[in-house]
């Protein structure tokens, strides 16, 4: 008979959970479309994408908003409708950025699964992540966030 100690069981659970968490955090969007912050900035400047900063207002206040981005808090009840209304056309791709790429990956996957086409993740985020240094450390421009902007 196999005897499992409490320590062995807990170690196995922690290890399994850690592996699952790492896979979840490092998974890209469902369709795999990503941009670096520099690519997103360039594309937003010429209108090739709608760049949406999905962070919270307190985060925008601390760091500013990426130049060319529309700040839309992902917690808004009307988030999807607000994002769609901000596009220049019904076919304009939407690129999402958050602090470190975790929220943007989740929201990108959710929107893609909901049949919204051309949703792109910026996995480095504003502050950097496993994917790279991020918008701020790359020295890309930001603008001050003003409430109701």
């Amino acid at each position: 008979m196999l005897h499992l100690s409490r320590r062995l069981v807990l170690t196995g659970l922690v290890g399994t959970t850690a592996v699952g968490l790492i896979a979840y955090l490092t998974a890209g969007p469902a369709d795999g479309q990503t941009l670096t912050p520099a690519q997103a900035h360039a594309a937003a400047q010429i209108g090739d994408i709608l760049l949406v900063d999905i962070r919270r207002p307190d985060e925008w206040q601390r760091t500013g908003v990426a130049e060319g981005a529309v700040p839309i808090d992902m917690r808004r009840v009307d988030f999807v409708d607000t994002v769609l209304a901000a596009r220049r056309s019904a076919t304009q791709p939407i690129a999402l950025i958050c602090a470190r790429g975790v929220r943007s990956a989740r929201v990108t996957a959710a929107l893609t699964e909901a049949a919204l086409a051309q949703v792109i993740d910026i996995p480095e985020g504003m502050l950097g992540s496993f994917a790279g240094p991020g918008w701020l450390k790359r020295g890309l421009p930001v603008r001050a966030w003003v409430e109701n902007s």
Side-chain angles (χ1 to χ4, degrees):
M1 179 171 117
L2 179 62
H3 177 69
L4 298 176
S5 70
R6 182 185 293 172
R7 177 176 284 158
L8 181 61
V9 170
L10 288 176
T11 301
L13 287 175
V14 169
T16 302
T17 303
V19 169
L21 180 61
I22 290 168
Y24 173 76
L25 293 176
T26 60
D31 63 1
Q33 292 187 34
T34 63
L35 291 174
T36 66
Q39 292 168 326
H41 179 251
Q45 293 303 302
I46 58 174
D48 282 353
I49 62 167
L50 170 65
L51 178 58
V52 181
D53 187 332
I54 65 171
R55 297 177 300 150
R56 300 180 314 267
D58 63 298
E59 294 175 284
W60 301 326
Q61 186 67 43
R62 278 195 302 275
T63 66
V65 176
E67 182 181 83
V70 176
I72 304 173
D73 187 335
M74 66 179 267
R75 301 170 304 164
R76 288 179 60 150
V77 174
D78 62 345
F79 173 76
V80 173
D81 291 336
T82 304
V83 169
L84 294 177
R87 291 192 302 181
R88 292 173 56 177
S89 73
T91 59
Q92 184 183 30
I94 300 163
L96 305 176
I97 191 166
C98 66
R100 298 196 180 273
V102 176
R103 290 173 284 180
S104 62
R106 285 194 334 243
V107 174
T108 297
L111 293 178
T112 300
E113 288 172 19
L116 195 59
Q118 298 185 357
V119 184
I120 304 163
D121 182 31
I122 303 166
E124 290 183 36
M126 292 294 289
L127 305 177
S129 70
F130 66 90
W135 191 284
L136 296 174
K137 287 184 182 169
R138 288 182 180 275
L140 294 167
V142 295
R143 62 178 170 79
W145 176 72
V146 179
E147 197 164 354
N148 298 322
S149 64

